Amino acid sequence: MLKVVEIFYSIQGEGSQVGVPSIFIRLYGCNLTCPFCDEILHKGEYEELTFEAVLERIKGYPSMQVIITGGEPTIYNLNGFIEFLQAYMYSVSVETNGYNFSNISNANWVTYSPKDWNKIEKFGYDEIKFVVSKDSPVEKILEFKSYKPIFIQPQNEVDRPNKENVNFCIEFVKAHPQFILSAQLHKFLGVE
Ligand code: SF4
């Protein structure tokens, strides 16, 4: 059974797969309580759904790209669910704060967004994303190196861009071109 807050169809607005029409499955709960959390729905109500019930909900959408998000999906062991979806030819991406990579070891794509910049994992993901505001301690990530794409994503409002933080991030990546801007396209387009 999965604790599902919502399932919706939209475009991926972040990271390497920006623009890809995707089915989002938001799971309940998180191991952290970040003050800037813009995924607040993970604290709300949820339904307990079987794998088959989730499949029933998603198979009406034309995309075969699934993104499991939260909250923090890796508080659950999702390997069985990911395999289940892959058996139906879905490609499964997961967005995680890095709580437990072994719970998503067979995902097709993992986006890691570390919240504690004093302890950044080196492996277990396909891209890394730092959520940055103009007040963030960016000196902690300046020396971070990876052969995977490293994104800087402005800390936006829940439903719209934060212009100050967007401008800060634009100037930051221009000055430090090992980073790539991930603007959260969906918030500029005004879609979910
Ligand atoms: S890790 Fe993500 S979902 Fe969890 S509280 Fe922080 S911002 Fe929200």
Side-chain angles (χ1 to χ4, degrees):
M1 294 287 256
L2 294 167
K3 294 182 177 177
V4 178
V5 173
E6 62 172 350
I7 295 174
F8 62 98
Y9 184 43
S10 188
I11 56 156
Q12 170 61 292
E14 306 178 357
S16 306
Q17 296 175 340
V18 69
V20 177
S22 304
I23 302 159
F24 291 79
I25 301 174
R26 186 184 306 286
L27 300 183
Y28 175 82
C30 187
N31 60 313
L32 299 178
T33 52
C34 307
F36 56 82
C37 182
D38 70 347
E39 308 289 4
I40 43 181
L41 280 178
H42 73 82
K43 301 172 190 162
E45 293 177 0
Y46 62 85
E47 281 180 273
E48 292 212 84
L49 297 178
T50 60
F51 296 176
E52 288 77 11
V54 173
L55 180 66
E56 277 306 307
R57 300 261 183 109
I58 69 175
K59 71 183 189 191
Y61 299 121
S63 173
M64 298 304 286
Q65 303 292 325
V66 168
I67 299 174
I68 304 176
T69 186
E72 174 47 42
T74 73
I75 60 175
Y76 309 106
N77 185 337
L78 295 174
N79 287 312
F81 180 55
I82 292 168
E83 235 173 78
F84 173 82
L85 292 178
Q86 288 168 336
Y88 288 89
M89 295 299 126
Y90 286 95
S91 174
V92 183
S93 302
V94 183
E95 304 192 340
T96 178
N97 64 25
Y99 175 71
N100 189 345
F101 289 112
S102 68
N103 278 342
I104 51 169
S105 57
N106 51 1
N108 297 93
W109 187 264
V110 174
T111 303
Y112 170 44
S113 181
K115 302 299 184 259
D116 178 359
W117 293 355
N118 293 310
K119 187 178 163 292
I120 303 169
E121 302 295 337
K122 291 268 184 203
F123 303 103
Y125 50 89
D126 299 289
E127 64 181 4
I128 182 167
K129 178 177 75 186
F130 295 101
V131 179
V132 168
S133 80
K134 63 181 180 17
D135 303 316
S136 295
V138 285
E139 66 283 353
K140 290 185 181 174
I141 58 173
L142 280 182
E143 300 306 319
F144 181 77
K145 301 258 185 316
S146 178
Y147 58 89
K148 309 277 173 72
I150 313 172
F151 288 96
I152 294 294
Q153 183 167 293
Q155 192 177 305
N156 286 316
E157 310 303 332
V158 174
D159 55 353
R160 63 186 188 285
N162 176 311
K163 198 68 184 132
E164 255 185 318
N165 290 342
V166 170
N167 289 341
F168 178 85
C169 290
I170 290 171
E171 293 310 316
F172 184 79
V173 299
K174 283 165 67 181
H176 307 285
Q178 71 270 37
F179 298 105
I180 308 166
L181 183 71
S182 169
Q184 289 201 304
L185 177 66
H186 53 296
K187 292 187 181 176
F188 287 82
L189 299 177
V191 299
E192 192 173 10

